Amino acid sequence: MIWSTDVISTVSSDTEPTFLITFNTNKYAFNAGECTGRSWRQGGRPWRGVNALFLTSIGTQRATGVPGLLMFLADASIGNLHVAGPRGLSHYLATLRTFLWRDSMSLNPIEVDPPVATALVHEPTPIFKDENITVFGIHLPPQSPADPVSALESNTSNMPEEPSTSRSKRKRSPSPKSSSKRQQVDETASDSANTSNSFMSTSLQGSFNKSNFSPYALIGDDAKEWLRLTIENMFPKMPPTPDEKKGRKGKKAKKVEESETVQPGFGGARHNKLVWHKERQLPKFVPSISNSSDPAMRETLCYVVVGPRYRGRFDPEKAEALGLEKQNRAKVCKGETVTFKVPDEKGNMIERTVRPEDVIGASEPPQVILILDVPSPAHIPDLTTAFETNPLYSRLHSKKIEDKNEYSVHVIYHMCGPRVLEDPRYKSFMNGFADSVHHVVASREHAPDPLTFTSVGGIQLKLNKLDSDMFPIPYYRLKPEKELSLSGLPPSVTLMQANLHTDCRPVKPPQLLDVTDNFHPYATGEKSIPLSKPVLGAFRRSRSRSRSPSPSRAANEPGQDVVVVPLGTSSAAPSKYRNVSSTLIQIPNYGNILLDAGEGTWGQLIRFYGDDPDHKSGVWEFLRNLKCIFVSHAHGDHHIGLIKLLAMRKQLRVPPTSPLWVVSLHPILLYLQEFSDLEDLGLNSPDGNGVIPVLSDALSWRPARKYLGGVASENQPWLDQNKSRALARDMCESLGLSDFVTVDVDHKVRCYGSVIKHKDNWSIVFSADTKPTNNLVRAGEGATLLIHEATMGDDQADAAKEKAHSTFGQAIEIGRKMEAKNILLTHFSARYPRLPPASMQDNTTWAVALDHAKIRIADIPKLRAYIPAIKRCFQEIEDDEDEVETQNTATWGD
């Protein structure tokens, strides 16, 4: 059996480390930071076969790509998935309930509690096991706040004395009927997970039936059960029974799986009673120490992945000499010892015993992969202690031949926080493994920051030759902030890179796969940017056309210096050339507004503004001046990147001097509140300059629809609409706005567009996702700029109507009715992987948005003039990936 491991993504401005283990039958993913799905797609790897996802920590660093990845996997017909992680996993998955559910999938969460102290000296129990791999977990608990330098210089022994009181309290007893079984190996966990889909314990039922019932007040086992039932509602497909697993082959298997799929819709027959309470706040998750973003206070779960043990070859000549007949040969091959009678030299019958080792060669030891997440030097003692005291792990951390013959560690993925890799204790730990082990290291301070999505980067390089102001070259860095000193490190150390492939059987060293790079050789001048004569000719003609003045535009019109930066222009899911929805508005002398924040928005911002280790300039200055994020609705492609932005703002070393107002619907604000139990996002910071939630319904241009039953004001101050309106007035004052109103539009879910009016007498209307609606026309009359979705071409009007979106022509017509002075089209279907179709016949001042373009409102006519040149540029891409919509069915936002 051949199996291997790959690095899908590594530390960069866009991504965090994600790994994939591949067998013929199944794949296993480890971690899902931002843009995991997009990176996976860029690498050209298929989704099918993914059986399990393992998270090393729960938070924005390792898990913000989980929702997008789950959508990709579900829409790739992955029917059953196991998700493992440390404490907080179930809470995190349940926070996604208002925007993530897939009736065609069964999801089994495996939340791994820390072991009791005595368990450290016994053989560990696997947290997951199937026919390919056995997975063990090593907890690195959060540490008390401490000076990292002090931790680095400490000479404290790795062996702890008695477990502290605080650590012993962190042990959580498993909830009945669920958690205790889910922490066992695969077969037990999956089969027990859904047998009680409609089951509710007597204790929870008693609380549930009270008139003043509040999920937020639940504690202990009742709280755990609420989370379990919530997750079952999100992924209600029943997992296969053991008999079905064995019997599923070929077409029969497909028919059985299809018969198990329930009809779409959240609230079907297989959903339990909790479905009607999905917009009420979850039970509070209380972290063991703190939800701080300080690396020392993160809890992580490291993984030991043991591959299959292959028996030695059967020797038929030895079997023949021993008189081993066919029926006994089968038993010996299964590991049994057999005794039978054979004639001796004189013809007398004698007993002979044959053991497996008599006819079968030495077995091949299982290959082992270690995935170590060490956030800070303070975590090193717990890691080294585990490998010193645990019988299994100590055999892995060994140079002895006899230990290697039992388990052969092939590759170790090290995810190292600041100063970990330079710590003498960690170097000593690395050197304790056999010299044949390959160490693949991800350390942000020692890593370069190349562009991850080089396909779109290559296009940007070409367009930069058309207009260097409108199409700036994305930020990248090919040298690390700090050179990695190999002194004291083991012999085989490799910096982690995307597309690093390692064969585990047959055993081979890591090698970098040959992947086309359309950006770096040209950006550095190593190669000339490939611009053909037709492209150069199109550039010249477009520049000439762009210099023709617009007769309807006065030079002193208000708002002409406002800058629009499309950060994501794709609908539903990211692609090679477009990220998902986000649009930046820069108001000179006032600050920034972000319209939606799809997954990967943080990376897009770094590539646009650049990074600064001191947090004084670049993207960090942008964060300080970011004063409003408006999230239009709860489809994932419009907001999955929001928590990453807030977490990064919390890390500002030079703090902001004004708040960040987040204007959105109740489900989004609730999601932020609940996620804050896991990681501090800066909500309602005591200094007054944190994140302030504002209910978008309260700012509606007309009375908003009420939320259905089940929404209570449990620790949710934004539901006070008068308070939200008062907070919005403060926001308007900070941004120089005369008004900020929301407009209900026509989409499949509750969705608001917005009208932003400035005191300087200009306005911007944002449509969000919608069919053509006169609500926008009436609320946004005479807009300076209309930013409108144009998901479909004009030949797809029926599809657009079915999916509650607009065509190009419909979007332009709304602009005409509104008498908007400029129109910017965005949110394009994946059926247009490069440039969406656009007719140049009318004279309306409209243009097509491109990721990372820097567009002053005054330059909208110029961008329109550039469209033929941009189109010609895209036409010359030699690319075998036609990302038509039928191939990209991840419905993040339909």
Side-chain angles (χ1 to χ4, degrees):
M1 182 185 294
I2 296 173
W3 66 286
S4 61
T5 175
D6 292 90
V7 177
I8 301 294
S9 58
T10 185
V11 287
S12 73
S13 291
D14 312 286
T15 57
E16 294 288 346
T18 296
F19 319 106
L20 186 70
I21 293 177
T22 302
F23 284 78
N24 293 334
T25 53
N26 284 322
K27 299 185 181 81
Y28 310 88
F30 292 79
N31 284 339
E34 281 231 307
C35 293
T36 293
R38 192 180 183 192
S39 300
W40 201 317
R41 292 190 53 139
Q42 172 139 313
R45 298 173 183 83
W47 306 102
R48 294 185 184 277
V50 176
N51 181 45
L53 170 64
F54 300 86
L55 302 175
T56 59
S57 73
I58 307 301
T60 55
Q61 191 172 26
R62 304 286 186 239
T64 43
V66 168
L69 183 60
L70 290 180
M71 293 177 195
F72 272 127
L73 296 179
D75 292 317
S77 301
I78 304 297
N80 304 287
L81 186 72
H82 305 275
V83 180
R87 280 174 310 177
L89 172 68
S90 296
H91 182 88
Y92 171 56
L93 292 173
T95 67
L96 311 177
R97 68 195 178 282
T98 59
F99 63 91
L100 174 59
W101 56 89
R102 286 296 185 271
D103 284 349
S104 61
M105 177 182 275
S106 166
L107 188 145
N108 173 37
I110 307 170
E111 183 164 336
V112 184
D113 285 335
V116 295
T118 54
L120 296 175
V121 297
H122 298 297
E123 289 283 347
T125 301
I127 62 171
F128 177 89
K129 184 177 181 180
D130 67 3
E131 68 273 18
N132 296 320
I133 62 173
T134 302
V135 182
F136 303 91
I138 300 175
H139 269 91
L140 300 187
Q143 307 298 313
S144 299
D147 181 0
V149 177
S150 300
L152 180 63
E153 296 172 348
S154 171
N155 291 318
T156 305
S157 169
N158 289 344
M159 287 296 293
E161 296 176 2
E162 292 299 320
S164 68
T165 305
S166 61
R167 288 199 187 180
S168 62
K169 286 183 179 178
R170 287 201 300 269
K171 172 66 180 171
R172 292 166 57 191
S173 58
S175 60
K177 305 269 185 189
S178 60
S179 297
S180 60
K181 291 184 178 179
R182 289 181 180 225
Q183 290 170 27
Q184 303 303 316
V185 297
D186 166 49
E187 291 86 358
T188 307
S190 62
D191 296 338
S192 67
N194 284 274
T195 55
S196 55
N197 196 308
S198 300
F199 173 82
M200 188 180 291
S201 68
T202 303
S203 174
L204 181 57
Q205 186 75 52
S207 300
F208 188 79
N209 290 334
K210 292 180 180 178
S211 59
N212 62 345
F213 170 70
S214 168
Y216 185 64
L218 295 174
I219 59 173
D221 288 345
D222 286 351
K224 294 176 190 177
E225 187 177 2
W226 187 269
L227 297 178
R228 175 180 65 81
L229 293 170
T230 297
I231 295 168
E232 286 180 359
N233 273 337
M234 296 163 63
F235 305 97
K237 179 187 172 186
M238 299 295 288
T241 65
D243 290 340
E244 288 172 333
K245 285 182 182 179
K246 293 176 183 176
R248 288 190 176 181
K249 303 256 182 178
K251 294 182 180 179
K252 277 189 177 179
K254 186 176 180 183
K255 288 181 180 178
V256 174
E257 286 181 0
E258 288 175 350
S259 69
E260 287 180 347
T261 303
V262 300
Q263 293 300 312
F266 201 28
R270 288 191 179 175
H271 297 106
N272 57 58
K273 296 177 182 178
L274 272 64
V275 69
W276 307 114
H277 296 263
K278 68 186 179 76
E279 291 190 357
R280 298 191 66 178
Q281 190 162 353
L282 294 175
K284 186 171 181 62
F285 175 79
V286 181
S288 53
I289 291 183
S290 169
N291 62 352
S292 169
S293 56
D294 182 348
M297 300 172 74
R298 274 179 52 208
E299 176 177 343
T300 66
L301 184 63
C302 302
Y303 293 102
V304 176
V305 183
V306 181
R309 185 181 296 273
Y310 298 96
R311 73 182 184 198
R313 291 181 177 275
F314 180 80
D315 190 330
E317 292 182 0
K318 286 186 177 181
E320 186 71 26
L322 291 170
L324 195 65
E325 296 181 351
K326 185 176 181 180
Q327 64 270 26
N328 282 329
R329 291 185 183 191
K331 293 180 181 179
V332 170
C333 287
K334 293 179 181 178
E336 298 179 24
T337 297
V338 296
T339 300
F340 54 93
K341 290 187 176 182
V342 295
D344 62 9
E345 294 176 354
K346 298 180 180 179
N348 299 319
M349 300 302 291
I350 61 171
E351 279 194 348
R352 176 171 291 167
T353 298
V354 176
R355 298 173 181 83
E357 56 266 30
D358 295 332
V359 293
I360 297 175
S363 64
E364 181 183 322
Q367 297 298 310
V368 178
I369 297 173
L370 303 184
I371 297 169
L372 307 179
D373 189 350
V374 189
S376 75
H379 290 78
I380 295 174
D382 283 300
L383 178 66
T384 56
T385 296
F387 279 88
E388 289 171 358
T389 59
N390 185 277
L392 172 61
Y393 307 149
S394 63
R395 294 198 294 275
L396 304 179
H397 190 242
S398 170
K399 294 180 182 290
K400 296 177 181 178
I401 296 297
E402 57 267 32
D403 288 332
K404 186 176 180 180
N405 288 338
E406 188 172 2
Y407 294 100
S408 179
V409 179
H410 184 41
V411 62
I412 304 176
Y413 292 121
H414 301 264
M415 292 174 283
C416 300
R419 292 178 292 278
V420 169
L421 198 55
E422 297 174 344
D423 192 304
R425 297 170 299 170
Y426 201 74
K427 289 183 178 182
S428 175
F429 167 72
M430 294 174 71
N431 279 294
F433 291 94
D435 291 344
S436 59
V437 173
H438 297 279
H439 299 266
V440 180
V441 176
S443 174
R444 192 170 289 276
E445 58 190 338
H446 299 99
D449 189 10
L451 197 66
T452 303
F453 306 111
T454 57
S455 297
V456 67
I459 289 293
Q460 194 81 354
L461 279 178
K462 294 180 179 181
L463 296 181
N464 180 260
K465 298 298 183 181
L466 172 65
D467 189 323
S468 58
D469 291 329
M470 187 175 290
F471 304 106
I473 295 175
Y475 165 80
Y476 69 100
R477 176 173 47 79
L478 297 183
K479 291 186 177 181
E481 294 176 7
K482 188 186 298 184
E483 290 293 338
L484 175 62
S485 171
L486 297 178
S487 174
L489 291 174
S492 182
V493 173
T494 305
L495 277 176
M496 190 180 296
Q497 299 180 67
N499 302 305
L500 189 68
H501 174 86
T502 307
D503 285 312
C504 298
R505 190 174 191 266
V507 175
K508 295 179 182 178
Q511 59 178 345
L512 197 61
L513 298 179
D514 186 17
V515 177
T516 302
D517 185 346
N518 295 315
F519 179 78
H520 298 99
Y522 307 101
T524 59
E526 179 184 337
K527 295 181 180 180
S528 298
I529 297 174
L531 292 170
S532 68
K533 288 183 178 180
V535 167
L536 291 172
F539 280 10
R540 285 193 296 272
R541 290 188 295 273
S542 289
R543 287 195 204 97
S544 175
R545 195 180 301 114
S546 72
R547 296 188 190 102
S548 303
S550 174
S552 61
R553 187 179 302 276
N556 59 351
E557 269 189 54
Q560 297 304 296
D561 58 346
V562 173
V563 175
V564 180
V565 181
L567 298 169
T569 58
S570 177
S571 73
S575 69
K576 267 192 171 185
Y577 301 102
R578 296 194 193 92
N579 199 44
V580 282
S581 299
S582 186
T583 305
L584 168 63
I585 309 295
Q586 296 176 319
I587 307 174
N589 304 318
Y590 285 99
N592 306 312
I593 298 174
L594 203 58
L595 304 174
D596 285 332
E599 181 184 343
T601 296
W602 170 248
Q604 296 286 87
L605 285 165
I606 296 182
R607 298 304 182 188
F608 183 77
Y609 283 103
D611 199 1
D612 174 18
D614 297 323
H615 290 196
K616 293 179 180 178
S617 61
V619 72
W620 305 100
E621 184 179 9
F622 158 81
L623 275 183
R624 275 190 295 277
N625 293 321
L626 179 61
K627 297 182 179 179
C628 172
I629 301 178
F630 172 71
V631 176
S632 58
H633 63 297
H635 279 157
D637 59 322
H638 291 258
H639 72 85
I640 288 176
L642 177 59
I643 57 173
K644 179 72 171 183
L645 280 171
L646 302 186
M648 299 313 291
R649 184 179 187 269
K650 184 66 181 173
Q651 294 181 24
L652 276 168
R653 294 173 194 160
V654 181
T657 56
S658 66
L660 169 57
W661 289 270
V662 175
V663 181
S664 193
L665 300 162
H666 168 69
I668 301 300
L669 302 181
L670 180 61
Y671 167 54
L672 297 182
Q673 183 92 307
E674 292 173 344
F675 188 89
S676 293
D677 289 348
L678 300 166
E679 183 174 346
D680 187 0
L681 300 179
L683 265 66
N684 301 308
S685 177
D687 65 6
N689 293 326
V691 176
I692 298 179
V694 177
L695 187 67
S696 52
D697 306 77
L699 312 186
S700 178
W701 72 305
R702 62 181 185 179
R705 291 174 294 163
K706 292 183 178 180
Y707 287 95
L708 297 176
V711 177
S713 57
E714 305 141 331
N715 195 29
Q716 300 165 43
W718 58 82
L719 290 174
D720 182 340
Q721 296 204 12
N722 290 328
K723 184 173 183 178
S724 278
R725 282 188 279 269
L727 292 170
R729 287 192 290 271
D730 294 339
M731 177 186 74
C732 288
E733 182 65 28
S734 180
L735 284 162
L737 304 180
S738 59
D739 206 359
F740 187 110
V741 299
T742 58
V743 182
D744 53 308
V745 293
D746 192 356
H747 197 41
K748 286 188 173 182
V749 296
R750 186 185 297 224
C751 181
Y752 284 104
S754 60
V755 178
I756 302 167
K757 295 182 178 180
H758 199 270
K759 293 177 180 177
D760 291 344
N761 202 29
W762 56 264
S763 64
I764 293 177
V765 177
F766 173 55
S767 74
D769 283 10
T770 183
K771 292 191 286 188
T773 172
N774 284 326
N775 288 356
L776 277 179
V777 175
R778 292 195 293 269
E781 184 179 0
T784 308
L785 172 65
L786 167 64
I787 302 172
H788 203 290
E789 71 119 287
T791 306
M792 303 288 187
D794 291 340
D795 60 338
Q796 299 290 321
D798 290 341
K801 182 178 181 180
E802 180 185 352
K803 296 188 176 186
H805 287 298
S806 299
T807 66
F808 274 64
Q810 290 169 344
I812 292 172
E813 181 60 25
I814 289 293
R816 284 193 184 124
K817 288 181 179 180
M818 186 187 294
E819 298 183 353
K821 297 179 177 64
N822 304 276
I823 305 169
L824 186 64
L825 303 179
T826 187
H827 196 267
F828 308 119
S829 168
R831 69 179 64 218
Y832 316 118
R834 296 164 185 166
L835 195 67
S839 170
M840 302 295 292
Q841 302 304 314
D842 63 81
N843 296 318
T844 309
T845 307
W846 62 267
V848 173
L850 287 89
D851 284 25
H852 281 155
K854 182 181 179 182
I855 311 163
R856 292 190 315 134
I857 289 181
D859 291 336
I860 296 285
K862 182 189 288 189
L863 178 56
R864 175 180 166 83
Y866 288 161
I867 288 177
I870 296 169
K871 184 177 181 181
R872 183 73 200 193
C873 199
F874 271 98
Q875 283 175 343
E876 296 201 353
I877 298 173
E878 294 182 4
D879 187 359
D880 59 1
E881 181 190 7
D882 287 328
E883 297 173 276
V884 295
E885 191 171 48
T886 55
Q887 294 172 324
N888 182 9
T889 58
T891 51
W892 295 23
D894 278 353

